[in-house]
């Protein structure tokens, strides 16, 4: 059983690789720069990107299933469609695709609309797929750590409706479980879509209160206006990406990322353990900051 992991060097993908290796799967990863691919020695590292057709064909050779995670780029949609077409061409029709919760509703947010388009292709072209729709990543808070600790402000404009924040390690474990289930199935399984959420749905004020408890001093919520968020992101990433993230934040405020009935229980059953919580993550991050 050989599983190809695309998007293996990111926060989720690295955990997917580890989970698959620990479960005895043969793992191949596709990466632009193998020198930066710090994986276990048994992992097969293939060089290339999602617009390199020859590299894609080589990477899919002898593969039973694959994990597809596209980075947010200007050509993300093209990358996804090319990859899915090459997979079909190479006879690989079992996959786990990392989408995003509410991809079908937040259609004005570019990287959500892209993922919904890829979902439709997967559904219409006969793949045996699990589509994972995670909520906001708890791990994003690494970017906010310094502002929280040094300035006493939780800066993410996540609003008052609530986000069911999920840990990247939980996402990766579900992905590995589903990849192996699909790869080992005697026949094609129907497409399934799973919302991946954390145990708690938290507002901006809720998160600030958690940080206040963890740090033992007042942390305030910075508010719902996404303007400062966009300006900050635009200082170190392309302006179109910062604007994309602003549009996402606006939907956080207007809609939230609310689990559907049974989502928390479904993911908990699948993992066979409690879901990792925001409070536990914040406590560990604060402890690592204190000892750094």
């Amino acid at each position: 059983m050989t599983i190809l992991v695309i998007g293996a060097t990111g926060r989720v993908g690295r955990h997917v690789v580890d989970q698959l290796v620990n479960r005895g799967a043969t793992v191949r990863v596709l990466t632009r720069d193998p020198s930066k691919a710090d994986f276990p020695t048994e992992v097969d590292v293939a060089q290339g990107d999602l617009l390199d057709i020859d590299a894609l064909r080589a990477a899919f050779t002898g593969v039973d299933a694959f994990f597809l995670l596209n980075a947010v780029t200007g050509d993300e949609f093209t990358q996804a469609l090319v990859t899915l077409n090459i997979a079909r061409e190479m006879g690989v029709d079992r996959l786990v695709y990392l989408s995003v919760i509410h991809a079908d509703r937040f259609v004005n947010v570019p990287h959500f609309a892209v993922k919904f388009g890829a979902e439709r292709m997967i559904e219409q072209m006969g793949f045996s797929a699990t589509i994972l729709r995670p909520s906001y990543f708890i791990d994003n808070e690494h970017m906010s750590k310094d502002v929280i600790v040094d300035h006493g402000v939780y800066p993410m404009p996540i609003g008052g409706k609530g986000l069911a924040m999920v840990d990247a390690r939980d996402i990766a474990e579900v992905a590995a479980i589903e990849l192996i289930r699909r790869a080992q199935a005697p026949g094609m399984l129907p497409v399934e879509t799973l919302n991946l959420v954390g145990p708690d749905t938290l507002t901006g004020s809720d998160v600030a209160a958690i940080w206040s408890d963890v740090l033992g001093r007042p942390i305030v919520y910075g508010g719902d206006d996404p303007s400062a968020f966009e300006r900050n992101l635009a200082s170190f990433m392309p302006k179109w990406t910062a604007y994309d993230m602003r549009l996402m934040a606006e939907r956080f405020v207007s809609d939230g990322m609310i689990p559907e009935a049974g989502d928390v229980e479904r993911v908990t059953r699948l993992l066979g353990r409690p879901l990792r919580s925001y409070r536990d993550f914040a406590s560990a991050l604060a402890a690592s900051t204190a000892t750094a």
Side-chain angles (χ1 to χ4, degrees):
M1 179 176 58
T2 300
I3 296 176
L4 173 65
V5 179
I6 297 172
T9 58
R11 284 171 293 172
V12 174
R14 286 184 178 276
H15 292 303
V16 172
V17 171
D18 290 341
Q19 287 284 340
L20 290 170
V21 169
N22 291 342
R23 285 169 163 77
T26 299
V27 180
R28 180 180 300 157
V29 301
L30 179 68
T31 179
R32 289 186 181 89
D33 188 355
S35 68
K36 297 180 180 178
D38 182 21
F39 296 112
T41 55
E42 61 264 41
V43 173
D44 178 21
V45 179
Q47 183 172 10
D49 61 54
L50 300 188
L51 297 181
D52 183 339
I53 302 302
D54 292 337
L56 274 177
R57 286 177 173 140
F60 275 109
T61 300
V63 165
D64 298 290
F66 68 105
F67 176 73
L68 178 57
L69 187 164
N70 286 101
V72 178
T73 63
D75 56 5
E76 178 184 354
F77 196 35
T78 298
Q79 290 184 25
L81 300 190
V82 167
T83 302
L84 291 167
N85 275 299
I86 293 294
R88 282 293 302 272
E89 174 190 312
M90 298 299 295
V92 184
D93 50 15
R94 303 177 184 206
L95 77 144
V96 170
Y97 176 65
L98 195 73
S99 183
V100 63
I101 198 169
H102 305 329
D104 53 335
R105 289 169 41 198
F106 292 6
V107 293
N108 68 306
V109 182
H111 71 282
F112 282 56
V114 162
K115 290 175 173 60
F116 186 47
E119 287 185 15
R120 296 206 309 271
M121 178 176 175
I122 288 167
E123 291 166 350
Q124 293 179 19
M125 293 192 68
F127 284 98
S128 170
T130 301
I131 296 168
L132 302 181
R133 286 183 168 184
S135 181
Y136 180 93
F137 290 8
I138 293 176
D139 308 65
N140 289 340
E141 307 301 63
H142 283 290
M143 296 186 295
S144 304
K145 176 188 67 176
D146 292 343
V147 177
I148 296 168
V149 173
D150 297 339
H151 301 284
V153 176
Y154 177 70
M156 289 296 297
I158 64 173
K161 298 292 181 65
L163 308 183
M165 299 186 188
V166 61
D167 193 292
R169 292 168 294 179
D170 289 350
I171 298 169
E173 189 169 347
V174 171
I177 290 168
E178 287 297 300
L179 281 162
I180 291 173
R181 182 173 75 92
R182 297 262 170 197
Q184 292 182 335
M188 296 286 284
L189 301 175
V191 175
E192 296 180 51
T193 300
L194 299 175
N195 288 339
L196 298 186
V197 296
D200 308 301
T201 300
L202 303 171
T203 67
S205 298
D206 293 334
V207 172
I210 290 172
W211 279 107
S212 297
D213 289 344
V214 166
L215 296 174
R217 53 189 169 87
I219 303 297
V220 299
Y221 173 51
D224 295 347
D225 184 358
S227 302
F229 177 58
E230 179 189 2
R231 286 195 300 272
N232 178 56
L233 293 179
S235 68
F236 61 89
M237 63 175 56
K239 290 184 178 179
W240 71 263
T241 310
Y243 183 64
D244 187 340
M245 298 302 148
R246 178 203 175 114
L247 293 170
M248 177 181 67
E250 289 176 351
R251 296 305 295 262
F252 289 167
V253 173
S254 64
D255 295 72
M257 285 184 160
I258 312 298
E260 296 178 8
D263 281 347
V264 174
E265 294 77 12
R266 187 177 302 110
V267 181
T268 302
R269 284 196 304 272
L270 188 58
L271 293 177
R273 58 166 175 79
L275 305 180
R276 292 180 171 93
S277 72
Y278 187 97
R279 181 177 292 274
D280 288 345
F281 178 90
S283 298
L285 187 59
S288 68
T289 300
T291 58

